[in-house]
C-alpha cells in the first residue's frame, strides 16, 4: 500500500486498471491529474472513475443542501460529460456509464430529501453517523430524519432502473479503455 498523491508519486506502472472512486472531486490541478492517468494506464488498459452526479435526483431535490455537494471537502462538481471529454483528450474511450451506486445513491437521496424538509438541520443524520455531531438538537433531527432514509433504502431497488435510464443517480461510474 502506498499513500500519497498519484500525480506526484513514483509509481511502478503502467497498470492494467486504475480506479478513482470519489477522488477527482477532491483534487486541484485537474489537467495534471488526467495527464498522469494517461501515463499510469497501459495500452488497452482500463480506467474507472466514480464521481458525484450534480444532475442527480438527489441534487435536484437537495439543491445547495445536497449531501453529494459537500463543499467542505469537494473542490469541483464535475459533470460526467466533462470527465468523459477530459479523458478522451488524453487517449481514453468511454465504454460504459453507470448512474447507480448502491454505496452512495440511497443515502445521498434520502439525506437530501431530509435536508429539504429540515434545512436548519441539514445532514444531521450523516453527521451523527460519522460522530461529527452529538448535540441534542442534532440528535433529535437525526432521529426524525431516519425514517426518510429508511424509506429511500427500501424504495431504491424499485427506483434504480428509472434513475439509471434517466441518468439521475447520485453517483456516476465511468468505465474507460485506453486507445
Amino acid at each position: 500500500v502506498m499513500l500519497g498523491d498519484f500525480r506526484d508519486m513514483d509509481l511502478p506502472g503502467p497498470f492494467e486498471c486504475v480506479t478513482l472512486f470519489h477522488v477527482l472531486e477532491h483534487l486541484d490541478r485537474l489537467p495534471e491529474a488526467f495527464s498522469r492517468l494517461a501515463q499510469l494506464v497501459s495500452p488497452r488498459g482500463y480506467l474507472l472513475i466514480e464521481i458525484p452526479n450534480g444532475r442527480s435526483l438527489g441534487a435536484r431535490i437537495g439543491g445547495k443542501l445536497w449531501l453529494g455537494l459537500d463543499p467542505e471537502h469537494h473542490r469541483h462538481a464535475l459533470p460526467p460529460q466533462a470527465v468523459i471529454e477530459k479523458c478522451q483528450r488524453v487517449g481514453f474511450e468511454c465504454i460504459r456509464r453507470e448512474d447507480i451506486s448502491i454505496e452512495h445513491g440511497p443515502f445521498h437521496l434520502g439525506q437530501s430529501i431530509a435536508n429539504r424538509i429540515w434545512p436548519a438541520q441539514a445532514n444531521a443524520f450523516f453527521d451523527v453517523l460519522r460522530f461529527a455531531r452529538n448535540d441534542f438538537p442534532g440528535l433529535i433531527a437525526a432521529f426524525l430524519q431516519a425514517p426518510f432514509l429508511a424509506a429511500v433504502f427500501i424504495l431504491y431497488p424499485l427506483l434504480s432502473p428509472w434513475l439509471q435510464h434517466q441518468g439521475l443517480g447520485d453517483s456516476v461510474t465511468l468505465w474507460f479503455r485506453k486507445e
Side-chain angles (χ1 to χ4, degrees):
V1 174
M2 301 171 80
L3 182 62
D5 188 326
F6 72 91
R7 295 168 297 183
D8 303 323
M9 295 174 70
D10 183 23
L11 297 169
F15 301 97
E16 291 294 316
C17 184
V18 173
T19 63
L20 287 93
F21 285 85
H22 293 270
V23 172
L24 284 181
E25 63 271 18
H26 296 270
L27 299 178
D28 53 6
R29 305 177 2 232
L30 279 179
E32 188 180 334
F34 287 104
S35 296
R36 181 68 171 135
L37 289 168
Q39 294 170 353
L40 291 173
V41 178
S42 64
R44 311 274 306 145
Y46 295 93
L47 171 65
L48 278 71
I49 298 175
E50 186 171 281
I51 56 172
N53 182 4
R55 294 188 169 95
S56 70
L57 181 61
R60 293 173 189 210
I61 291 171
K64 291 181 179 183
L65 299 175
W66 176 50
L67 181 62
L69 194 57
D70 195 11
E72 184 180 339
H73 301 103
H74 292 177
R75 293 190 164 102
H76 310 279
L78 297 165
Q81 189 58 41
V83 174
I84 292 170
E85 291 168 6
K86 290 175 188 308
C87 286
Q88 287 173 334
R89 283 190 213 120
V90 295
F92 291 97
E93 173 191 7
C94 186
I95 58 172
R96 185 174 179 172
R97 174 182 170 155
E98 295 178 5
D99 284 80
I100 297 298
S101 168
I102 296 304
E103 179 183 3
H104 296 98
F107 192 85
H108 281 204
L109 179 58
Q111 185 66 74
S112 297
I113 292 168
N115 289 350
R116 187 54 95 172
I117 295 169
W118 291 284
Q121 297 291 336
N123 298 332
F125 193 85
F126 178 66
D127 288 343
V128 167
L129 282 181
R130 62 187 182 110
F131 302 106
R133 189 166 186 180
N134 62 3
D135 62 299
F136 186 72
L139 294 172
I140 294 299
F143 178 77
L144 294 172
Q145 290 176 4
F148 290 91
L149 279 88
V152 171
F153 270 91
I154 291 167
L155 294 173
Y156 202 78
L158 300 173
L159 285 172
S160 59
W162 179 77
L163 293 170
Q164 172 68 32
H165 184 263
Q166 298 297 320
L168 295 174
D170 271 58
S171 290
V172 175
T173 307
L174 302 168
W175 299 58
F176 296 95
R177 182 122 196 217
K178 191 169 181 187
E179 298 172 345

